[in-house]
Amino acid sequence: MTFLLAHLSDAHIGPLPRPHLRELLGKRLTGYVNWNRRGRLHDMEVLADLVADIKAQAPDHIAMTGDILNLGLAAEFPFAAQWLRDLGPSRDVSFVPGNHDAYVRSSMGPLAATFVPWLADLSAIGAPLVTDLFPYLRQRGDVALIGVSSALPTAPFLASGALGSTQRQALGTLLADAGRRKLTRIVMIHHPPYRAGASAGRGLRDASAFARIIAEHGAELILHGHNHRAMLAHLPGPNGLVPVVGVPAASAVPGSPNHRAAYHLFRIGLGANGLEIAASRRGLLPDLSAIGDLGPIDLAEGGLAAIGL
């Protein structure tokens, strides 16, 4: 049996609801000014075409690694929930938040309450805190989808993230248990989880600690967003290198080929030599006319460089 997983990130859905004046205090003011420029880079028609293309591939599951929102406004959360419902049934879609979903402290309550159906296989858990929801594990056949949250409110002009010691400890426990059960472990996170993954002020603060967890317990695949471009790195695991794959923003139009709207497909199954993961890219074609096949991704070291990225 082959398990087909689609991965997209950084939808940044718009248009941005008109904020109340009181909502533009502090970090949101600079973010709102920036959105008036940056918002033009995200095309909702392209995003809709990309989602339609995902559905046409009939994946077994969809991983969405954050930044559906822009400023974490209260009025954005209902639109985000509806967008996820349109993406697919909550059982078949898993979500982890990004820094724009957790833009300010007042975003954290709605974030937890809104996204519960796409985080864990629970019918109701009251009024959860974000810290109560992560990490989570959703098992689909022999695949363990493990979501962690690197999203936290930061000061203006910062977009960094962190897991924190409690979440890291729980992640290690989940990875170890899933490994003993011979599951294919796929970790979903918003920020690139390695030290050189993002520029200063935008990276994962505890990336080194995350790397130590992978080195001890292992994983088969790690997925992230945040940088709005195709990326491939590797972290050492106990049985070899673990591919860490970043995807472009799902709604981005201008820019170089590895910055334009795209998503990744992963075919996971058993082959003659054991577990096999084949990866490919689909997104805006070079002439920007439609969403189509952009070719395979070699998950070995240098894989993205081998296809010109």
Side-chain angles (χ1 to χ4, degrees), residues 1 13 67 118 121 150 153 172 175 209 217 236 292:
M1 295 291 292
I13 61 173
D67 278 4
W118 296 277
D121 296 322
S150 59
L175 288 170
H217 301 292

Side-chain angles (χ1 to χ4, degrees), residues 8-18 35 38-48 50-51 64 66-87 95 100-101 114-115 228 249-252:
L8 75 164
S9 194
D10 298 83
H12 291 290
I13 61 173
L16 188 70
R18 186 175 181 84
W35 173 255
R38 187 175 57 83
R40 294 190 293 272
L41 307 179
H42 297 279
D43 189 309
M44 296 303 102
E45 291 187 7
V46 168
L47 177 62
L50 185 138
V51 169
M64 203 292 166
D67 278 4
I68 300 178
L69 278 62
N70 298 290
L71 301 181
L73 297 167
E76 288 185 275
F77 285 94
F79 292 115
Q82 184 59 56
W83 184 81
L84 278 175
R85 283 191 288 269
D86 292 342
L87 189 59
F95 170 74
H100 282 268
D101 305 311
T114 299
F115 295 122
H228 294 197
S251 57

Side-chain angles (χ1 to χ4, degrees), residues 1-4 60 266-270:
M1 295 291 292
T2 298
F3 186 88
L4 183 62
D60 296 294
F266 299 90
R267 295 184 183 275
I268 303 162
L270 292 177

Side-chain angles (χ1 to χ4, degrees), residues 111-149:
L111 190 160
T114 299
F115 295 122
V116 165
W118 296 277
L119 304 181
D121 296 322
L122 300 170
S123 58
I125 57 175
L129 300 173
V130 172
T131 52
D132 296 331
L133 299 173
F134 296 96
Y136 66 81
L137 185 152
R138 309 178 89 183
Q139 184 174 343
R140 300 293 183 267
D142 293 330
V143 174
L145 297 146
I146 300 173
V148 296
S149 176

